[in-house]
């Protein structure tokens, strides 16, 4: 009998993971409490776009993957539910995870393993998951085990990275770690490192804090260089000639579900110790406001009188994806509410539904209405349309457009 894997949460992480496992011949059921999502998947419709996902979906369907709203009586559970942070305490909000674990425990059989894939702050499993599992084991003699297998994949390259990234698996014993390793090894060609649960929890948030700090360094240089009258992009190019220096590219802020969220867990749990991590978060969160300042400066310089003649290109948090979570453009629009002027126009080729005020769905309509174009996201589309925006004043926060009237951060 093949083991049944029940993937809980069919979002950006759970869905590709479930499809990947099924495509490799594992027996998989994907479960989500969002009825519409489940219905779409049951009826042949993917719920988001991603390179290679359609092919994976077809293969998984051929191999018998099923989708349900009900938790299954399975051997392995993989929980990929949201783990946001509390904006005040900065700590992880474990409510989705707790609910998922409670539902799993109602269904699961003896000796099953619950793998938490969600990103969690160090100690989350000991504080929230283990007490529930221990109680169930004691009351119903079930011997359920826990593992943590944090996910590193990035939107835009999810399928490729699922196969090629290295992974970390945390478990309470080498036997359980090995049982889970075998499942991931069915598709993962990277190294799979086995460790304890807390180290696995810590590794994921530390990796994202590292990325955040490095981005913050580039963003801090933008502000220093502006003050000093130095071109930050040229400066970074020169500095990166040093054999041991690799400064990242600055930008309008950090969005997405990982880098802009996970470092906060360490700030919330280790106040007074996570100092660089905290400073980096503040610098990156200040960038949308900095872009607003640059917009005002350029409007004055180029005699653009109304913010209604300004257009933000891009709503997503990175190029060529449809994920808008925590995006710098949304942060900027939120900040704008505190300023008197409104009416700024917005367009993103990847966002088809109406999400914000004054949003356009046609590039030409959008361009017609504006004099100052602010490139917030470097989608391929805007690079390809460089000819069509030649007559505009451009604030290019991503350094992807060239031209005489192009200004940078
Ligand atoms: N998106 C990324 O790029 C990324 C990368 C690495 C890690 N992660 C982590 O993976 C986890 C999941 O993120 P995501 O981006 O897939 O989130 P998501 O919001 O795209 O998907 C989560 C899904 O879980 C479902 N859900 C929530 N609670 C449930 C429950 N109790 N039972 C059943 N379904 C439930 C929701 O309906 C939703 O479909 C998070 O911890 C996140 O930090 C995300």
């Amino acid at each position: 009998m093949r083991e049944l894997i029940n993937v809980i949460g069919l979002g950006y992480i759970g869905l590709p993971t479930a499809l990947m496992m099924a495509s490799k011949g594992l027996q998989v059921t994907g479960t989500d409490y969002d009825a519409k999502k489940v219905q779409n998947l049951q009826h042949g419709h993917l719920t988001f776009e991603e390179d290679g996902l359609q092919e994976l979906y077809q293969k998984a369907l051929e191999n018998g993957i099923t989708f349900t709203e009900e938790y299954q009586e399975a051997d392995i559970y993989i929980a990929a539910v949201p783990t946001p942070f509390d904006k005040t305490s900065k700590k992880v909000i474990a409510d989705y995870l707790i609910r998922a674990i409670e539902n799993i425990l109602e269904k699961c059989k003896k000796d099953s393993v619950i793998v938490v894939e969600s990103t969690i702050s160090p100690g989350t499993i000991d504080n929230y998951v283990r007490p529930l599992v221990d109680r169930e084991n004691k009351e119903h003699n079930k011997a359920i085990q826990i593992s943590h297998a944090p996910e590193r994949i990035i939107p835009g390259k999810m399928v490729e990275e699922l196969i090629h990234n290295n992974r970390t698996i945390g478990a309470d014993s080498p036997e359980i770690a090995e049982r889970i390793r075998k499942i991931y090894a069915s598709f993962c060609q990277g190294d799979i490192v086995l460790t304890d649960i807390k180290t696995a929890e810590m590794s994921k948030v530390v990796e994202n804090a590292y990325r955040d700090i490095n981005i913050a360094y580039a963003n801090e240089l933008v502000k220093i260089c502006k003050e000093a009258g130095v071109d930050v992009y040229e400066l970074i190019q020169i500095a990166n000639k040093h054999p041991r220096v690799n400064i990242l590219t600055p930008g309008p802020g950090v969005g997405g579900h990982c880098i802009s969220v996970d470092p906060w867990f360490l700030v919330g749990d280790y106040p007074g110790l996570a100092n660089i991590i905290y400073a980096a978060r503040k610098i990156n969160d200040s960038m949308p406001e900095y872009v607003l300042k640059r917009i005002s400066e350029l409007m004055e310089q180029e005699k653009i009188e109304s913010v209604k003649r300004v257009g933000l290109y891009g709503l997503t948090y990175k190029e060529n994806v449809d994920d808008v979570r925590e995006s710098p453009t949304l942060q900027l629009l939120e900040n704008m509410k505190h300023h008197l002027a409104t009416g700024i126009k917005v367009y993103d080729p990847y966002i088809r539904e109406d999400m914000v005020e004054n949003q356009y769905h046609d590039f030409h309509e959008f361009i017609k209405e504006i004099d100052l174009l602010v490139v917030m996201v470097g989608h391929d589309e805007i690079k390809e349309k460089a000819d069509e925006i030649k007559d505009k004043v451009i604030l290019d926060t991503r350094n992807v457009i060239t031209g005489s009237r192009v200004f940078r951060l």
Side-chain angles (χ1 to χ4, degrees):
M1 262 290 273
R2 284 190 303 166
E3 285 193 321
L4 174 63
I5 301 172
N6 192 189
V7 177
I8 311 298
L10 298 173
Y12 285 99
I13 293 302
L15 182 62
T17 304
L19 298 180
M20 181 61 85
M21 288 178 172
S23 77
K24 295 294 173 191
L26 305 181
Q27 194 190 349
V28 180
T29 296
T31 298
D32 202 295
Y33 64 19
D34 179 339
K36 198 158 166 245
K37 204 170 260 189
V38 170
Q39 274 161 22
N40 274 325
L41 291 166
Q42 285 170 338
H43 293 106
H45 308 297
L46 272 182
T47 40
F48 63 96
E49 289 175 25
E50 183 66 39
D51 261 5
L53 201 62
Q54 188 63 43
E55 292 77 2
L56 213 56
Y57 184 37
Q58 287 314 323
K59 186 93 188 96
L61 288 172
E62 284 163 23
N63 286 352
I65 191 171
T66 54
F67 302 100
T68 90
E69 283 172 70
E70 288 82 37
Y71 286 58
Q72 303 297 297
E73 194 183 315
D75 304 281
I76 307 285
Y77 293 88
I78 295 184
V81 296
T83 44
F85 76 100
D86 182 293
K87 296 246 154 79
T88 312
S89 74
K90 315 297 189 205
K91 289 175 186 287
V92 67
I93 297 174
D95 300 10
Y96 296 94
L97 184 61
I98 292 169
R99 181 167 168 194
I101 300 294
E102 284 171 346
N103 290 339
I104 290 170
L105 291 174
E106 276 172 23
K107 277 280 177 184
C108 72
K109 50 186 179 190
K110 206 164 181 254
D111 292 324
S112 52
V113 184
I114 302 173
V115 183
V116 177
E117 267 216 17
S118 302
T119 304
I120 44 183
S121 63
T124 300
I125 288 196
D126 281 346
N127 294 337
Y128 300 105
V129 178
R130 201 181 292 287
L132 299 173
V133 172
D134 283 352
R135 195 178 62 204
E136 182 71 15
N137 283 344
K138 204 163 151 211
E139 286 176 6
H140 297 102
N141 192 25
K142 275 191 174 168
I144 299 152
Q145 302 284 344
I146 311 167
S147 172
H148 179 44
E151 187 49 79
R152 289 179 170 137
I153 58 176
I154 188 169
K157 285 168 110 184
M158 286 184 152
V159 176
E160 187 194 321
E161 290 208 352
L162 265 177
I163 298 169
H164 296 290
N165 281 1
N166 304 320
R167 305 196 67 103
T168 314
I169 291 174
D172 293 331
S173 72
E175 293 73 30
I176 298 302
E178 182 53 26
R179 187 169 162 198
I180 300 308
R181 189 197 66 79
K182 278 200 189 117
I183 294 171
Y184 284 95
S186 69
F187 62 86
C188 170
Q189 296 173 14
D191 291 342
I192 303 182
V193 178
L194 309 183
T195 183
D196 61 89
I197 285 179
K198 204 172 214 170
T199 307
E201 290 176 319
M202 185 72 105
S203 68
K204 168 73 193 185
V205 285
V206 160
E207 288 158 16
N208 280 341
Y210 174 87
R211 299 265 305 139
D212 202 41
I213 290 166
N214 280 282
I215 297 167
Y217 184 59
N219 285 339
E220 185 156 277
L221 290 182
V222 163
K223 296 179 184 176
I224 292 173
C225 285
K226 182 59 67 200
E227 199 67 23
V230 168
D231 177 340
V232 71
Y233 296 98
E234 188 192 351
L235 174 84
I236 291 174
Q237 236 178 22
I238 294 169
N240 283 350
K241 296 279 180 203
H242 184 295
R244 286 168 296 282
V245 172
N246 183 17
I247 303 173
L248 301 180
T249 312
V254 172
H257 203 41
C258 290
I259 300 182
S260 67
V261 174
D262 305 347
W264 282 124
F265 295 161
L266 292 168
V267 175
D269 287 349
Y270 301 96
L273 294 178
N275 298 324
I276 301 181
I277 300 169
Y278 185 37
R281 275 287 68 238
K282 300 248 286 194
I283 291 164
N284 288 335
D285 273 356
S286 75
M287 291 312 286
E289 188 67 34
Y290 180 79
V291 175
L292 268 181
K293 189 169 148 244
R294 292 288 293 128
I295 292 173
S296 306
E297 285 167 5
L298 278 175
M299 284 176 69
E300 204 175 314
Q301 180 187 309
E302 300 294 317
K303 315 257 176 298
I304 296 166
E305 279 170 15
S306 167
V307 80
K308 292 187 176 133
R309 298 295 300 170
V310 179
L312 302 176
Y313 177 88
L315 261 168
T316 62
Y317 86 89
K318 71 186 284 269
E319 66 283 0
N320 305 325
V321 299
D322 61 4
D323 190 344
V324 297
R325 289 179 294 182
E326 319 287 332
S327 88
T329 306
L330 290 179
Q331 292 177 44
L332 185 150
L333 290 170
E334 188 60 34
N335 290 0
M336 261 197 128
K337 286 190 188 152
H338 307 298
H339 298 257
L340 285 178
T342 53
I344 199 163
K345 298 185 163 54
V346 185
Y347 165 81
D348 190 308
Y350 284 85
I351 307 303
R352 296 192 186 107
E353 74 276 21
D354 273 329
M355 182 170 277
V356 294
E357 280 176 37
N358 305 307
Q359 184 182 342
Y360 286 68
H361 296 282
D362 181 279
F363 182 76
H364 298 105
E365 292 290 312
F366 168 67
I367 282 297
K368 225 168 49 193
E369 298 293 324
I370 61 173
D371 301 312
L372 170 57
L373 173 71
V374 185
V375 178
M376 293 294 286
V377 185
H379 292 310
D380 286 347
E381 183 207 49
I382 195 69
K383 297 182 210 163
E384 286 154 14
K385 288 190 157 61
D387 261 7
E388 297 174 47
I389 51 175
K390 275 202 304 261
D391 61 328
K392 306 292 171 195
V393 178
I394 298 172
L395 171 58
D396 179 7
T397 71
R398 298 286 183 173
N399 198 24
V400 290
I401 309 282
T402 48
S404 56
R405 299 180 80 198
V406 179
F407 299 88
R408 297 194 165 75
L409 284 171

